[in-house]
Amino acid sequence: MVGEIIAGTLFMSPRPAMPHTVASSALGGLLVRPFQFGLDGPGGWWVFDEPELHLDGDVLVPDLAGWRRERMPTRPSTAAVSLPPDWVCEVLSPSTATDDRFDKLPVYAREGVTWVWLIDPIKRTFEVQHLGPRKRWETELLVKGDDVVRAAPFDAIDLPLTILWDGMPQAPQPSEG
């Protein structure tokens, strides 16, 4: 179980099923090399799996979160982080999608998280939300299927969505002829 406290209420969620785990793991694998390590990409980020966030009384555990290094110069050594991330990714599951959208997104907005990605591996949807000037979420990108996208704040790389759904690149199709 994963426990989170939102507005004083304890939310308990079962460990995710394999489609959720594949999407989260694949995305972390795609982002860490260019953005955390700076290999074949710009670097300048910390990207962590399931960090525990302590945000003004709320305790959240997003699937992935990232901090620009200018805001978090060194990796924390504590179990929990109180500095709000710059980017969060929530992989939606049937049991958590409503909580992610209606309970966690307002907390992320209140704390000034600039970007939220919502990924649904069952429906094969990829959504990018950007925090607008009045602390309201604005949909910047909404894609369904196996497209290759460039999504802020990690738009320096192509992101083949099929890797999130299948855990590996799409096999090349045999040519006809």
Side-chain angles (χ1 to χ4, degrees):
M1 300 292 282
V2 175
E4 298 177 293
I5 300 171
I6 306 170
T9 300
L10 175 63
F11 289 78
M12 297 296 292
S13 304
R15 295 299 306 161
M18 200 51 67
H20 178 125
T21 301
V22 166
S24 181
S25 298
L27 181 59
L30 289 168
L31 296 179
V32 165
R33 179 180 171 89
F35 294 99
Q36 184 166 312
F37 297 160
L39 300 171
D40 302 320
W45 284 82
W46 292 109
V47 177
F48 302 130
D49 293 327
E50 298 187 350
E52 183 174 312
L53 306 177
H54 288 205
L55 305 173
D56 194 28
D58 294 307
V59 178
L60 306 180
V61 183
D63 294 298
L64 293 158
W67 289 259
R68 294 181 191 275
R69 293 240 176 124
E70 61 258 16
R71 289 188 57 242
M72 181 188 279
T74 59
R75 173 182 52 81
S77 59
T78 56
V81 179
S82 60
L83 179 67
D86 296 291
W87 165 83
V88 165
C89 178
E90 294 288 358
V91 179
L92 306 177
S93 296
S95 63
T96 65
T98 299
D99 299 338
D100 289 339
R101 283 191 183 278
F102 294 99
D103 297 310
K104 293 171 84 171
L105 280 180
V107 174
Y108 295 141
R110 180 194 74 211
E111 296 297 321
V113 175
T114 307
W115 300 97
V116 172
W117 289 6
L118 300 170
I119 296 172
D120 189 326
I122 296 170
K123 295 179 180 175
R124 292 180 168 238
T125 61
F126 179 86
E127 182 177 341
V128 176
Q129 295 287 333
H130 180 256
L131 190 61
R134 296 188 341 224
K135 290 204 171 191
R136 291 190 182 160
W137 293 110
E138 300 171 356
T139 302
E140 184 165 296
L141 179 66
L142 182 58
V143 178
K144 182 173 184 173
D146 294 335
D147 289 350
V148 175
V149 300
R150 285 193 175 233
F154 301 113
D155 49 2
I157 65 165
D158 286 336
L159 183 63
L161 297 182
T162 188
I163 290 176
L164 304 184
W165 319 142
D166 301 330
M168 55 191 356
Q170 194 167 20
Q173 300 299 315
S175 60
E176 293 190 29

